[in-house]
Amino acid sequence: MQSLKYTAQPELDISIVLPVYNEAGNLKIFIPEIVHVLQILGRPYEIIAIDDGSTDDSVATLRALKQQTSEMGSELQQCLRIVRFRRNFGQTAAFAAGFDLARGTYVITMDADGQNDPADIPAMLQLMEEGEYDIVSGWRHERKEPFLSRRLPSMLANRMIAKSTGVVLHDYGCSLKIYHWQVAKNVNLYGELHRFIPALASGIGIRVAEVPVNDRPRRYGKSKYNLSRSVRVLLDLLTVFFLLNYLARPMQLFGLAGLLSGGLGGALGLYLTLLKLFMGADIGTRPLLWLAVLLIIIGVQFLMMGLLGEMLVRTYYEVQDKPVYAVRAEE
Ligand code: UDP
Ligand code: MG
């Protein structure tokens, strides 16, 4: 996220974005729960349920919620938007679709399985408005999930993300987050990147706050993720680290690696050459020779990569007319 490409005005106060993948059982309970909280809040809202290619009755359940003849039904008739993906694209893609479609000033993301508690929304919103924050992020301080398979990897990931992105949150993985419209509309999401939005967005200097929230056990269905997510999060972290620190100056990263590698290779080569010239040593069979050659080749590769990176970055900014700065407001 580098700049603000989207400048239209919001039409509502609140957009709730729910990624839904096989959550039929949970939706029946969870959506009325959200509506209840938002009715008390009394501000115009919409709920955008993104069905991420569910294979159960999730869509039927969402439709049924809208068609009830009760008061809840007529409310949902107005406020519930059902968006169906053609296939399963993943939670991050569902968030991205929600961000694109949202019409509210505040875009609130949550899990559709009921693990997040809608009762936390009013306090988060209040903080957001009073503190002029751009993102208010939930922190599941008492998580209800198993330690070894879920909380431990997530603890490690949180530490690493904090260290390498400079945006210090306790819990990046919590889905319950409120984004200001401008952030939601201007962030580009790929892979598992949704947990890195605060870090990516910090690149343009936004304000992030964290609020302890309630974490509840999942009622129906099971988690869509396992340990393999940790590996993907780790790889994404590398990407984010690069994007945050070197996007505008790739040569400084690759060039440095190239100089180090090439320099070391050159020095070894020189040393061997001197041995050969002055001592008459036989260097052809020495492993050190191979190392020197390898390091020189790698060094040249890195330098070339840096140059290519510089060219790519120029296209990235210039083709899209992206400014290399971000303005908060003009007064
Ligand atoms: N989800 C999704 N697409 C997927 C996987 C998950 O939309 O491919 C949704 C899922 O329905 C839930 C949220 O993303 O609303 C988080 O998923 P889950 O609860 O399985 O993850 P966990 O809370 O266990 O980390
Ligand atoms: Mg969940």
Side-chain angles (χ1 to χ4, degrees), residues 158-169:
N158 284 330
R159 292 263 166 84
M160 283 177 59
I161 300 176
K163 271 235 150 26
S164 46
T165 62
V167 179
V168 182
L169 295 183

Side-chain angles (χ1 to χ4, degrees), residues 71-108:
E71 200 185 316
M72 179 70 66
S74 56
E75 175 95 12
L76 285 174
Q77 189 72 47
Q78 299 268 321
C79 312
L80 180 61
R81 298 167 71 187
I82 308 173
V83 179
R84 286 160 52 215
F85 276 0
R86 285 183 183 274
R87 65 166 172 85
N88 179 252
F89 284 96
Q91 188 186 356
T92 301
F95 279 144
F99 288 172
D100 285 343
L101 295 168
R103 293 176 298 173
T105 311
Y106 299 108
V107 182
I108 307 181

